[in-house]
Amino acid sequence: MKQLFVSLLMTAIAGGMATTTQAQEADNLYQLKTGDMTMTVNISKGGKILSLKHKDNEVISQSRFPESFGSTFWTSPQKEWNWPPVPEYDKMAYDVVEQSDSKLDIKSQVSERLKYRIGKTFTTDDKAGAFVITYTIKNEADETRKVAPWEITRVPNNDGLIFFDAPLDGITPAGLMNFTAQDGAVWFKTDEAPQNRKINADGTGWLAYANNGLLLIKQFEDLKAGAPAPDEAEIQVYLNRGKTYIELESQGAYTTLAPGEQLSWTVRWYLVPVSGEAQPSANLVKVVKAQLR
C-alpha cells in the first residue's frame, strides 16, 4: 500500500537534547522524540502508544493479535463495562486537539454506554529524558459518577523482569506469581504457564520492567489505602497464558465527577539502557530511583 508521509519535523533544543514530532498521515501515526527515545502514537486505533524505542530497541509488545499490543487507557472499575474494552476509548479514532514540536493532545469520542470522554496529552521532558502522559476523564453524563484512570502497557513475555516497591505479603492473590523480595523491591522473573494470571498490589508510585538491555520505568501517583476503585489496585500485573505478552498496569484514585467535571492523571515514562542480564539487584532499584521526580 502506498504510504504518504507528511513531514512535520521541528526541532527544539532543551537541556542538550533534541525534541521531534513527526506525523505519518497515511496511518495517523505521530512520533515524539527525546534524546535516543522515540514514542509512536496511533490516533486512528484508540490513541494507543504503539511503540517505545531506545534507538532501534523496542520495549512495547508488537503482537498482531487483538488486545495484545501497545499501551492503552481504560476507565476503572472494570466491572462497569466487563469485556471487551470500550471501543470509543480503546479502538476508535481520537481527534487531534493540538500538535506541536513536543506535544500531542488528543481526545476520544464520548462513550455511548458510559458517557465519558477520554483525553490524552503526550509531551516530552527533555531535561529528565522522559515522556509525560496526562490522561483526562470527563463526565459527559447528566448525573454524578465515580471513576478512576487506568493505564495498560503491554510488553513481551520473553525472559523479562518486573519489579516495584510493595510489601510481598500484600500481593494478591498470594502465590499466583512467584514474587520475591530483596533490595527494597519485589521482583518477578517472567515465566510461562497454561493459564492467565493477574495480581494486585499497593505500591509506592512506580512500576518497572527490565528486558533486552532496556529498563522501562513508569511513575504515577502513590495512592493511599482505599483510594483505588472497588476491587482494583494501584499496581496490577497481568500475564497472558503461554509466553505471549504481559500487561503492566497502574491506576489512579477513584474520583467523584459531577456532570461536566473531569479528572486529570499523569504518568511519566522513562526508558533507560542497562547492561547485563535482567536479575534482581540493588543497582536496578538505584537506577529507578535516580529517574523519579
Side-chain angles (χ1 to χ4, degrees), residues 6-159:
V6 177
S7 175
L8 296 174
L9 181 62
M10 293 170 282
T11 302
I13 302 298
M17 293 185 177
T19 300
T20 305
T21 302
Q22 295 176 312
Q24 181 179 326
E25 189 176 70
D27 290 328
N28 292 310
L29 297 182
Y30 286 75
Q31 291 188 340
L32 287 89
K33 183 175 176 64
T34 180
D36 291 326
M37 295 182 296
T38 304
M39 175 180 284
T40 303
V41 178
N42 192 328
I43 65 168
S44 67
K45 294 183 178 180
K48 287 185 179 70
I49 300 169
L50 293 187
S51 171
L52 180 65
K53 291 182 178 182
H54 182 273
K55 297 183 179 177
D56 293 326
N57 198 357
E58 177 68 67
V59 73
I60 300 294
S61 172
Q62 300 297 299
S63 169
R64 295 189 179 185
F65 292 102
E67 331 300 354
S68 66
F69 62 90
S71 183
T72 188
F73 181 85
W74 300 334
T75 58
S76 179
Q78 186 172 349
K79 65 183 181 181
E80 285 196 345
W81 49 267
N82 195 19
W83 196 259
V86 178
E88 290 89 350
Y89 312 154
D90 189 73
K91 292 181 175 61
M92 295 174 62
Y94 278 56
D95 295 322
V96 176
V97 177
E98 181 182 350
Q99 184 270 321
S100 67
D101 59 342
S102 59
K103 180 178 181 180
L104 176 64
D105 186 7
I106 61 177
K107 65 179 180 180
S108 76
Q109 302 301 310
V110 177
S111 166
E112 292 186 9
R113 179 180 174 188
L114 298 179
K115 305 302 181 185
Y116 293 122
R117 185 192 302 276
I118 305 303
K120 303 180 183 183
T121 302
F122 305 88
T123 59
T124 55
D125 181 342
D126 296 323
K127 185 175 181 179
F131 293 102
V132 182
I133 310 167
T134 298
Y135 299 99
T136 59
I137 303 175
K138 185 175 182 180
N139 180 12
E140 299 281 7
D142 57 4
E143 61 182 3
T144 297
R145 305 286 305 282
K146 290 198 74 173
V147 67
W150 185 4
E151 184 184 69
I152 301 92
T153 302
R154 300 178 180 116
V155 295
N157 183 2
N158 56 349
D159 302 319

